[in-house]
Amino acid sequence: MVKRLPAASASSYRDRTDHTLLVLQGGGSLGAYQAGVYEALWESGFAPDWVTGVSIGAINAALIAGNPPERRVERLREFWDRVSSANPLIAPAALDPFRRAFNLASASASATFGVPGFFEPRIPPAIFAPPGTVAALSVYDTAPLRETLKELVDFDLINERDMRFSVGAVQVMSGNSVYFDNFVPDTTIAVEHVMASGALPPGFPPVKIGKDYYWDGGLVSNSPLSYVLDDTTLREALILQVDLFSARGAMPTNLDEVLERQKDIQYSSKTRFNTNRAKELEALGQALNRVLERLPASFKNDADVKLLAEAARGRKVAVVQLINRRYTHSSQSKDYDFSRATVRTLWESGRDAVRRTTASPQWPHACSMRHGLQTFDLAA
């Protein structure tokens, strides 16, 4: 049973901002880290009003937004226990020297036999399926994930719009990034939208929504941070950005570490680029405001001046990063190692990252909502 702290414990951020957001990156089995982050945030009284994700981040987002607050951690744990049930062994600490080999074997088993409640190998394999059929377009069948999501997520609740929910995908034919957002008029979120966000080829098949087919949003951007920052209505917000791949890392010492480091760089999704770009735009807006203030009064009602003034309105946004760091027994297959031991390790790492973040002397500063855009990595 998860114990939630009194509401007063959350006052350091909730009373100082209009919006609190949870931004969840993609990363396969590494998504257990996000579940641990959410559990620790919930215990501290954190209540996001907008949750957004890509790939496994979209699945975690749906488990959060698609359940009442008191059941969210329970549903997250049910999902992650289910997908790690094929390899429930948690070896004693004495076997830690063999942990990396154990993880590699677990990842190989996931690739060979699939993951319970998530995906299973196609039988017969895709190479024998008629060209143009869905069965010919992926190695695995994700029908188990559809059933899991329908069981664990209340899509009617998502569509009541008490919490904003958005997930990123890529349109197969155009290659354009698309976000399915329950706050967009005439949008009704269904299981297909979440599955589309996590349909990473060639492992998983594209998902048809309307007349179009969609793949995993991580093909274009593995984090929805840019989508959030591009929302001009977001004037004051505390954004907790939970990344599963770290852009920074040590120099590799062998080929496996080369492949792992390549994956970290590829899927960290230019996080610093996105935040630096947003900071530059904020600085330009502030400069434009100073210029507009010096204009004669006769220009104040000019249509172009009003348009520029609206575009230059300042924001108060803090982005607090919670980043899953590399651990000693990880490998290039870390994002499809669904063993119970790895899932538990990642979950606890997420919890620990929140504890270190909120214990940092800089945490009150991160919640102070100063003008402009600020970024913080307090768990490093």
Side-chain angles (χ1 to χ4, degrees), residues 284-319:
L284 286 173
Q286 293 173 14
L288 181 56
N289 265 325
R290 291 191 293 270
V291 171
L292 292 175
E293 288 171 359
R294 293 198 290 269
L295 288 177
S298 58
F299 283 85
K300 299 298 182 183
N301 293 322
D302 181 86
D304 289 336
V305 172
K306 286 183 177 180
L307 182 64
L308 289 172
E310 178 62 25
R313 283 180 60 194
R315 296 196 291 184
K316 297 179 181 178
V317 176
V319 178

Side-chain angles (χ1 to χ4, degrees), residues 313-328:
R313 283 180 60 194
R315 296 196 291 184
K316 297 179 181 178
V317 176
V319 178
V320 178
Q321 299 168 336
L322 295 153
I323 303 172
N324 175 42
R325 316 284 179 180
R326 184 183 188 275
Y327 45 95
T328 55

Side-chain angles (χ1 to χ4, degrees), residues 146-308:
R146 178 183 295 274
E147 296 308 310
T148 296
L149 290 172
K150 288 168 67 175
E151 177 188 344
L152 300 182
V153 176
D154 183 347
F155 287 94
D156 290 335
L157 180 60
I158 291 177
N159 291 310
E160 288 177 6
R161 298 175 174 85
D162 291 334
M163 172 187 285
R164 186 171 179 180
F165 171 84
S166 47
V167 293
V170 174
Q171 195 177 57
V172 175
M173 297 291 287
S174 69
N176 292 333
S177 178
V178 176
Y179 273 83
F180 303 112
D181 192 323
N182 67 345
F183 271 35
V184 172
D186 301 321
T187 297
T188 300
I189 299 296
V191 66
E192 289 79 13
H193 297 99
V194 179
M195 293 188 66
S197 183
L200 183 64
F204 299 163
V207 177
K208 188 177 184 181
I209 300 174
K211 297 180 180 180
D212 297 313
Y213 284 90
Y214 296 89
W215 271 329
D216 192 307
L219 292 176
V220 172
S221 177
N222 199 35
S223 171
L225 180 63
S226 59
Y227 178 73
V228 167
L229 295 177
D230 285 343
D231 188 330
T232 57
T233 66
L234 197 69
R235 294 296 176 186
E236 187 172 309
L238 173 64
I239 300 172
L240 296 187
Q241 175 190 341
V242 191
D243 285 354
L244 302 180
F245 296 94
S246 176
R248 299 184 186 277
M251 184 69 184
T253 62
N254 56 51
L255 194 55
D256 184 78
E257 290 180 8
V258 168
L259 294 172
E260 181 185 5
R261 188 74 197 108
Q262 177 192 28
K263 190 175 288 188
D264 284 342
I265 294 170
Q266 179 180 356
Y267 289 116
S268 60
S269 263
K270 303 177 182 176
T271 295
R272 288 193 300 273
F273 173 82
N274 289 331
T275 52
N276 288 341
R277 172 178 169 269
K279 287 179 179 179
E280 290 168 359
L281 291 174
E282 286 295 316
L284 286 173
Q286 293 173 14
L288 181 56
N289 265 325
R290 291 191 293 270
V291 171
L292 292 175
E293 288 171 359
R294 293 198 290 269
L295 288 177
S298 58
F299 283 85
K300 299 298 182 183
N301 293 322
D302 181 86
D304 289 336
V305 172
K306 286 183 177 180
L307 182 64
L308 289 172

